[in-house]
Every structure is written in structure tokens, then in C-alpha cells.
Amino acid sequence: MKWGLLIVIVFWSSSFATAQTGEQGKPLVLKDLNGRTIRLSNYKGRVVLINFWATWCAPCRAEIPELIKLQKRYRPKGLRIIGVTYPPQSLREVKRFRQKMKVNYSLAIGTKETKSLFTKSEALPVTVVIDRDGRVRAVIEGILYPDEFDQKIKTLF
């Protein structure tokens, strides 16, 4: 009985956790920390990671140095990372965090609605993988590990 309930809970929760892979990327429009517009549609031809995070989230803070390394290493191959804070945080707080961590990719202030374009999950961090054709290829809950990068992202270059 316990196993049956566990299986039902896992399937039920996973149905809320991920967007359909293969879907065309959502019409995402954000403002970066300097007020410039970020449009997902402008990244056609690039592999895009949209990473939902928060300054108070310990796993998010642990993941950011690796994202910085990935952006530096794979940018010439077409990788673009967009960090989207969620839930919304103050612009000043995020700018201070960016400077402290030396983030080398675009950051934007997000909302619950922004995140819900890709997932209903409340987990953080969440990384949405979008291929060069603008299709969602994966929604990864939790820290993006090197083996996941190799399996789900590196193959898109």
C-alpha cells in the first residue's frame, strides 16, 4: 500500500514539474538588470539555458560558479545563459549579488508568471534547456550536474 501511494505521488507531482519537451520556446520577454529587453526569440540559433534562481537559495548559490564556467567555456559554441530571479527580488540586491559572484551572463528579475511559462514546480533552481531551433528540450529541477550537462545540453552544440 505504501509503495502504491508513493508511486501515485511521484507521478502526480511530476505532471506539474515539467513542460512538454519539443515545444516551441515560450514568448518570453524580460528586462535585464540595466533595463534592456531580453527576448527569447532573439536567441534563435543559440542553445539557451534559462536558470530560475534566488539569492537566498543555497543550491542556487552553489550552482552559479559552475554556470559561470559553462558560459565562459561554451559561449563561443553558441551557449547563452539567462538567470531569472524568482521569486522577484529587489534590483539592488540582485545587482549586488551579481557583482559579488562575478556573474558573466544575463540576469533578469522574474515573476511567478515567468516561471510558470515553463514549469508549475516551486523548486529552485530550475534550468530550462532550449535548443537552437527554439524548442524546449528539458526542464531540470535542482542543480545542473556535469553529467546532465553532457547528456542534455552539450549534445545540442
Side-chain angles (χ1 to χ4, degrees):
M1 178 65 177
K2 288 181 184 179
W3 283 108
L5 181 59
L6 179 61
I7 290 169
V8 168
I9 290 170
V10 168
F11 281 116
W12 178 76
S13 64
S14 67
S15 69
F16 292 102
T18 59
Q20 291 281 62
T21 58
E23 282 184 3
Q24 202 58 22
K26 309 298 181 182
L28 181 65
V29 179
L30 299 165
K31 293 286 184 186
D32 73 8
L33 301 186
N34 298 315
R36 293 182 298 244
T37 301
I38 297 174
R39 295 179 196 282
L40 185 55
S41 60
N42 290 346
Y43 289 87
K44 196 98 169 174
R46 308 273 189 213
V47 174
V48 180
L49 302 183
I50 301 172
N51 179 257
F52 291 95
W53 66 285
T55 58
W56 51 262
C57 167
C60 302
R61 290 192 315 265
E63 178 182 54
I64 287 174
E66 192 60 33
L67 292 175
I68 291 168
K69 289 177 192 173
L70 292 173
Q71 180 64 69
K72 184 176 181 179
R73 183 171 181 191
Y74 292 99
R75 183 177 176 84
K77 294 183 180 189
L79 178 66
R80 297 298 184 268
I81 299 174
I82 303 169
V84 181
T85 62
Y86 172 84
Q89 298 180 272
S90 77
L91 183 60
R92 190 169 97 175
E93 180 182 7
V94 177
K95 281 184 174 183
R96 197 172 27 230
F97 187 85
R98 175 186 62 185
Q99 184 177 4
K100 178 182 173 187
M101 297 295 290
K102 297 182 170 107
V103 176
N104 62 352
Y105 51 86
S106 297
L107 294 179
I109 305 291
T111 64
K112 186 170 187 163
E113 291 76 26
T114 305
K115 190 175 179 213
S116 71
L117 289 172
F118 302 99
T119 182
K120 303 294 183 220
S121 172
E122 292 296 321
L124 283 177
V126 169
T127 302
V128 180
V129 180
I130 300 176
D131 70 14
R132 292 179 183 272
D133 296 322
R135 290 187 311 262
V136 174
R137 295 298 292 261
V139 177
I140 302 165
E141 290 187 19
I143 292 175
L144 174 64
Y145 291 105
D147 62 328
E148 284 180 301
F149 180 83
D150 290 345
Q151 293 169 2
K152 298 178 180 177
I153 302 161
K154 197 173 180 181
T155 59
L156 301 175
F157 295 118

